[in-house]
Short mmCIF file of all heavy atoms in Angstrom, two decimals:
data_model
loop_
_atom_site.label_atom_id
_atom_site.label_comp_id
_atom_site.label_asym_id
_atom_site.label_seq_id
_atom_site.Cartn_x
_atom_site.Cartn_y
_atom_site.Cartn_z
N GLN A 71 -46.77 24.24 20.66
CA GLN A 71 -46.22 25.44 21.31
C GLN A 71 -45.00 25.17 22.19
O GLN A 71 -44.01 25.90 22.10
CB GLN A 71 -47.31 26.15 22.11
CG GLN A 71 -46.85 27.47 22.71
CD GLN A 71 -47.99 28.25 23.33
OE1 GLN A 71 -49.15 27.82 23.32
NE2 GLN A 71 -47.69 29.41 23.90
N LEU A 74 -41.54 25.10 20.34
CA LEU A 74 -41.08 26.21 19.51
C LEU A 74 -39.74 26.76 19.96
O LEU A 74 -38.85 27.03 19.14
CB LEU A 74 -42.13 27.33 19.51
CG LEU A 74 -43.42 27.03 18.73
CD1 LEU A 74 -44.46 28.11 19.00
CD2 LEU A 74 -43.12 26.94 17.25
N ILE A 90 -37.17 34.96 11.38
CA ILE A 90 -37.57 33.57 11.59
C ILE A 90 -39.03 33.43 11.18
O ILE A 90 -39.88 34.25 11.57
CB ILE A 90 -37.42 33.13 13.06
CG1 ILE A 90 -35.95 33.23 13.50
CG2 ILE A 90 -37.93 31.70 13.27
CD1 ILE A 90 -35.75 32.99 14.98
N TYR A 92 -42.26 30.89 11.40
CA TYR A 92 -42.91 29.67 11.90
C TYR A 92 -43.96 29.28 10.89
O TYR A 92 -44.96 29.99 10.70
CB TYR A 92 -43.54 29.92 13.27
CG TYR A 92 -44.41 28.77 13.73
CD1 TYR A 92 -43.91 27.47 13.78
CD2 TYR A 92 -45.74 28.97 14.11
CE1 TYR A 92 -44.71 26.41 14.20
CE2 TYR A 92 -46.54 27.93 14.54
CZ TYR A 92 -46.02 26.65 14.58
OH TYR A 92 -46.81 25.60 14.99
N CYS A 94 -46.70 27.47 10.08
CA CYS A 94 -47.99 26.77 10.25
C CYS A 94 -49.08 27.81 10.46
O CYS A 94 -49.07 28.53 11.47
CB CYS A 94 -47.96 25.79 11.41
SG CYS A 94 -49.47 24.78 11.50
N THR A 95 -49.98 27.90 9.51
CA THR A 95 -51.01 28.93 9.54
C THR A 95 -52.03 28.66 10.65
O THR A 95 -52.31 29.53 11.48
CB THR A 95 -51.73 29.01 8.19
OG1 THR A 95 -50.79 28.91 7.13
CG2 THR A 95 -52.51 30.32 8.07
N ALA A 96 -52.59 27.47 10.64
CA ALA A 96 -53.65 27.15 11.59
C ALA A 96 -53.14 27.17 13.03
O ALA A 96 -53.84 27.63 13.94
CB ALA A 96 -54.27 25.80 11.26
N ALA A 97 -51.92 26.68 13.26
CA ALA A 97 -51.36 26.71 14.62
C ALA A 97 -51.12 28.13 15.08
O ALA A 97 -51.32 28.47 16.25
CB ALA A 97 -50.08 25.90 14.68
N SER A 98 -50.66 28.99 14.17
CA SER A 98 -50.44 30.39 14.54
C SER A 98 -51.75 31.06 14.95
O SER A 98 -51.77 31.91 15.85
CB SER A 98 -49.82 31.16 13.36
OG SER A 98 -48.55 30.64 13.04
N VAL A 99 -52.84 30.66 14.31
CA VAL A 99 -54.15 31.22 14.66
C VAL A 99 -54.59 30.73 16.04
O VAL A 99 -55.02 31.53 16.88
CB VAL A 99 -55.19 30.86 13.58
CG1 VAL A 99 -56.61 31.12 14.08
CG2 VAL A 99 -54.92 31.66 12.31
N VAL A 100 -54.49 29.43 16.30
CA VAL A 100 -55.02 28.91 17.57
C VAL A 100 -54.08 29.19 18.75
O VAL A 100 -54.55 29.37 19.88
CB VAL A 100 -55.36 27.40 17.48
CG1 VAL A 100 -56.42 27.15 16.43
CG2 VAL A 100 -54.13 26.55 17.23
N ILE A 101 -52.77 29.23 18.50
CA ILE A 101 -51.83 29.57 19.58
C ILE A 101 -51.77 31.07 19.77
O ILE A 101 -51.74 31.57 20.90
CB ILE A 101 -50.42 29.01 19.26
CG1 ILE A 101 -50.45 27.48 19.24
CG2 ILE A 101 -49.40 29.50 20.30
CD1 ILE A 101 -49.16 26.84 18.72
N GLY A 102 -51.73 31.82 18.67
CA GLY A 102 -51.67 33.27 18.72
C GLY A 102 -50.33 33.78 18.22
O GLY A 102 -49.28 33.26 18.58
N ASP A 103 -50.36 34.81 17.37
CA ASP A 103 -49.13 35.38 16.83
C ASP A 103 -48.18 35.84 17.93
O ASP A 103 -46.97 35.59 17.87
CB ASP A 103 -49.45 36.58 15.92
CG ASP A 103 -50.22 36.20 14.68
OD1 ASP A 103 -49.87 35.19 14.05
OD2 ASP A 103 -51.17 36.93 14.33
N ASP A 104 -48.71 36.52 18.93
CA ASP A 104 -47.86 37.05 20.00
C ASP A 104 -47.20 35.94 20.80
O ASP A 104 -46.04 36.05 21.20
CB ASP A 104 -48.68 37.94 20.94
CG ASP A 104 -49.13 39.23 20.28
OD1 ASP A 104 -48.55 39.60 19.23
OD2 ASP A 104 -50.06 39.88 20.81
N GLU A 105 -47.95 34.85 21.04
CA GLU A 105 -47.39 33.72 21.79
C GLU A 105 -46.30 33.01 20.98
O GLU A 105 -45.29 32.57 21.54
CB GLU A 105 -48.51 32.74 22.17
CG GLU A 105 -49.45 33.25 23.24
CD GLU A 105 -50.46 34.27 22.75
OE1 GLU A 105 -50.54 34.50 21.52
OE2 GLU A 105 -51.16 34.86 23.58
N ILE A 106 -46.52 32.90 19.68
CA ILE A 106 -45.50 32.31 18.80
C ILE A 106 -44.23 33.16 18.86
O ILE A 106 -43.11 32.64 19.03
CB ILE A 106 -46.00 32.24 17.35
CG1 ILE A 106 -47.24 31.35 17.22
CG2 ILE A 106 -44.87 31.78 16.41
CD1 ILE A 106 -47.01 29.89 17.38
N GLU A 107 -44.39 34.45 18.72
CA GLU A 107 -43.24 35.35 18.74
C GLU A 107 -42.48 35.26 20.06
O GLU A 107 -41.25 35.19 20.09
CB GLU A 107 -43.69 36.79 18.49
CG GLU A 107 -42.54 37.79 18.49
CD GLU A 107 -43.02 39.21 18.24
OE1 GLU A 107 -44.17 39.53 18.60
OE2 GLU A 107 -42.25 40.00 17.68
N ALA A 108 -43.22 35.23 21.16
CA ALA A 108 -42.58 35.17 22.48
C ALA A 108 -41.79 33.88 22.65
O ALA A 108 -40.66 33.89 23.17
CB ALA A 108 -43.64 35.29 23.57
N ALA A 109 -42.35 32.76 22.22
CA ALA A 109 -41.66 31.47 22.36
C ALA A 109 -40.40 31.42 21.51
O ALA A 109 -39.36 30.92 21.95
CB ALA A 109 -42.61 30.33 21.98
N ILE A 110 -40.46 31.95 20.29
CA ILE A 110 -39.30 31.95 19.41
C ILE A 110 -38.23 32.91 19.92
O ILE A 110 -37.03 32.62 19.88
CB ILE A 110 -39.74 32.26 17.97
CG1 ILE A 110 -40.46 31.04 17.38
CG2 ILE A 110 -38.55 32.68 17.10
CD1 ILE A 110 -41.05 31.26 16.02
N ASN A 111 -38.66 34.06 20.40
CA ASN A 111 -37.69 35.05 20.89
C ASN A 111 -37.01 34.64 22.18
O ASN A 111 -35.96 35.22 22.53
CB ASN A 111 -38.35 36.41 21.05
CG ASN A 111 -38.53 37.16 19.74
OD1 ASN A 111 -39.34 38.08 19.65
ND2 ASN A 111 -37.79 36.78 18.70
N VAL A 117 -35.35 38.94 17.26
CA VAL A 117 -35.40 38.63 15.83
C VAL A 117 -36.84 38.76 15.35
O VAL A 117 -37.76 38.25 16.01
CB VAL A 117 -34.88 37.20 15.56
CG1 VAL A 117 -35.01 36.85 14.08
CG2 VAL A 117 -33.43 37.07 16.01
N PRO A 118 -37.10 39.41 14.22
CA PRO A 118 -38.46 39.47 13.70
C PRO A 118 -39.02 38.07 13.44
O PRO A 118 -38.32 37.22 12.89
CB PRO A 118 -38.30 40.25 12.38
CG PRO A 118 -37.03 41.01 12.53
CD PRO A 118 -36.14 40.16 13.39
N VAL A 119 -40.25 37.85 13.85
CA VAL A 119 -40.90 36.54 13.71
C VAL A 119 -42.09 36.69 12.76
O VAL A 119 -43.00 37.48 13.01
CB VAL A 119 -41.37 35.99 15.06
CG1 VAL A 119 -42.13 34.67 14.87
CG2 VAL A 119 -40.17 35.79 16.00
N VAL A 120 -42.07 35.92 11.69
CA VAL A 120 -43.14 35.94 10.69
C VAL A 120 -44.03 34.72 10.91
O VAL A 120 -43.54 33.59 10.97
CB VAL A 120 -42.57 35.92 9.26
CG1 VAL A 120 -43.68 35.74 8.23
CG2 VAL A 120 -41.78 37.20 8.99
N THR A 121 -45.33 34.95 11.03
CA THR A 121 -46.29 33.85 11.02
C THR A 121 -47.13 33.97 9.75
O THR A 121 -47.35 35.09 9.25
CB THR A 121 -47.22 33.88 12.25
OG1 THR A 121 -48.04 35.06 12.19
CG2 THR A 121 -46.42 33.84 13.54
N PRO A 122 -47.61 32.85 9.22
CA PRO A 122 -48.36 32.92 7.96
C PRO A 122 -49.63 33.77 8.02
O PRO A 122 -49.86 34.56 7.09
CB PRO A 122 -48.67 31.45 7.65
CG PRO A 122 -47.57 30.70 8.33
CD PRO A 122 -47.30 31.45 9.60
N PRO A 123 -50.46 33.68 9.08
CA PRO A 123 -51.67 34.50 9.04
C PRO A 123 -51.37 35.99 9.12
O PRO A 123 -52.02 36.79 8.45
CB PRO A 123 -52.48 34.01 10.24
CG PRO A 123 -51.49 33.37 11.15
CD PRO A 123 -50.45 32.79 10.25
N LEU A 124 -50.37 36.37 9.94
CA LEU A 124 -50.04 37.79 10.03
C LEU A 124 -49.42 38.28 8.73
O LEU A 124 -49.68 39.41 8.28
CB LEU A 124 -49.11 38.05 11.21
CG LEU A 124 -48.85 39.53 11.54
CD1 LEU A 124 -50.15 40.28 11.76
CD2 LEU A 124 -47.96 39.64 12.77
N ALA A 125 -48.58 37.45 8.09
CA ALA A 125 -48.04 37.81 6.78
C ALA A 125 -49.15 37.96 5.76
O ALA A 125 -49.12 38.86 4.90
CB ALA A 125 -47.03 36.77 6.33
N ALA A 126 -50.16 37.09 5.83
CA ALA A 126 -51.30 37.19 4.90
C ALA A 126 -52.07 38.48 5.13
O ALA A 126 -52.49 39.14 4.17
CB ALA A 126 -52.22 35.98 5.08
N VAL A 127 -52.25 38.86 6.40
CA VAL A 127 -52.92 40.13 6.71
C VAL A 127 -52.16 41.28 6.08
O VAL A 127 -52.73 42.16 5.42
CB VAL A 127 -53.04 40.32 8.23
CG1 VAL A 127 -53.44 41.76 8.58
CG2 VAL A 127 -54.07 39.35 8.81
N ARG A 128 -50.83 41.30 6.28
CA ARG A 128 -50.01 42.38 5.71
C ARG A 128 -50.08 42.37 4.19
O ARG A 128 -50.11 43.43 3.55
CB ARG A 128 -48.57 42.24 6.17
CG ARG A 128 -48.37 42.36 7.67
CD ARG A 128 -48.66 43.77 8.18
NE ARG A 128 -48.39 43.89 9.60
CZ ARG A 128 -47.22 44.19 10.13
NH1 ARG A 128 -46.18 44.42 9.34
NH2 ARG A 128 -47.07 44.29 11.44
N PRO A 151 -61.67 28.94 13.65
CA PRO A 151 -60.81 29.96 14.24
C PRO A 151 -60.16 30.87 13.19
O PRO A 151 -59.88 32.04 13.46
CB PRO A 151 -59.74 29.15 14.99
CG PRO A 151 -60.35 27.81 15.22
CD PRO A 151 -61.24 27.58 14.04
N MET A 152 -59.93 30.34 11.99
CA MET A 152 -59.36 31.14 10.91
C MET A 152 -60.30 32.27 10.51
O MET A 152 -59.88 33.41 10.29
CB MET A 152 -59.06 30.25 9.71
CG MET A 152 -58.24 30.88 8.61
SD MET A 152 -56.50 31.05 9.03
CE MET A 152 -56.04 29.34 9.28
N TYR A 155 -60.13 34.91 13.11
CA TYR A 155 -58.87 35.66 13.07
C TYR A 155 -58.95 36.80 12.06
O TYR A 155 -58.61 37.96 12.38
CB TYR A 155 -57.74 34.70 12.71
CG TYR A 155 -56.37 35.35 12.60
CD1 TYR A 155 -55.50 35.38 13.68
CD2 TYR A 155 -55.94 35.91 11.39
CE1 TYR A 155 -54.24 35.95 13.58
CE2 TYR A 155 -54.68 36.49 11.28
CZ TYR A 155 -53.84 36.50 12.37
OH TYR A 155 -52.60 37.09 12.26
N PHE A 156 -59.37 36.50 10.85
CA PHE A 156 -59.40 37.53 9.81
C PHE A 156 -60.51 38.55 10.05
O PHE A 156 -60.33 39.74 9.73
CB PHE A 156 -59.49 36.89 8.42
CG PHE A 156 -58.18 36.36 7.95
CD1 PHE A 156 -57.80 35.04 8.21
CD2 PHE A 156 -57.29 37.18 7.28
CE1 PHE A 156 -56.57 34.56 7.79
CE2 PHE A 156 -56.05 36.70 6.86
CZ PHE A 156 -55.68 35.39 7.12
N ALA A 158 -61.39 39.51 13.03
CA ALA A 158 -60.83 40.36 14.09
C ALA A 158 -59.79 41.33 13.56
O ALA A 158 -59.56 42.39 14.16
CB ALA A 158 -60.22 39.49 15.18
N LYS A 159 -59.16 41.00 12.43
CA LYS A 159 -58.18 41.90 11.81
C LYS A 159 -58.85 42.96 10.93
O LYS A 159 -58.16 43.76 10.29
CB LYS A 159 -57.18 41.10 10.97
CG LYS A 159 -56.28 40.16 11.77
CD LYS A 159 -55.35 40.91 12.71
CE LYS A 159 -54.39 39.96 13.41
NZ LYS A 159 -53.48 40.67 14.35
N THR A 231 -45.63 34.51 3.48
CA THR A 231 -44.44 34.46 4.35
C THR A 231 -43.16 34.69 3.55
O THR A 231 -42.23 35.34 4.03
CB THR A 231 -44.36 33.13 5.11
OG1 THR A 231 -44.39 32.02 4.19
CG2 THR A 231 -45.48 33.00 6.12
N TRP A 259 -42.52 45.69 9.67
CA TRP A 259 -43.04 44.41 10.21
C TRP A 259 -43.21 44.56 11.70
O TRP A 259 -42.32 45.05 12.37
CB TRP A 259 -42.07 43.25 9.92
CG TRP A 259 -42.62 41.96 10.46
CD1 TRP A 259 -42.27 41.35 11.64
CD2 TRP A 259 -43.65 41.15 9.87
NE1 TRP A 259 -43.02 40.21 11.82
CE2 TRP A 259 -43.88 40.06 10.74
CE3 TRP A 259 -44.42 41.26 8.72
CZ2 TRP A 259 -44.83 39.09 10.48
CZ3 TRP A 259 -45.34 40.28 8.47
CH2 TRP A 259 -45.54 39.20 9.33
#
Side-chain angles (χ1 to χ4, degrees):
Q71 185 172 359
L74 289 171
I90 299 173
Y92 171 54
C94 187
T95 318
S98 297
V99 166
V100 299
I101 295 171
D103 295 316
D104 291 343
E105 288 76 8
I106 298 289
E107 180 180 29
I110 287 175
N111 282 161
V117 177
V119 176
V120 172
T121 65
L124 189 55
V127 167
R128 297 293 183 87
M152 190 74 61
Y155 179 94
F156 282 91
K159 295 295 185 181
T231 55
W259 181 260

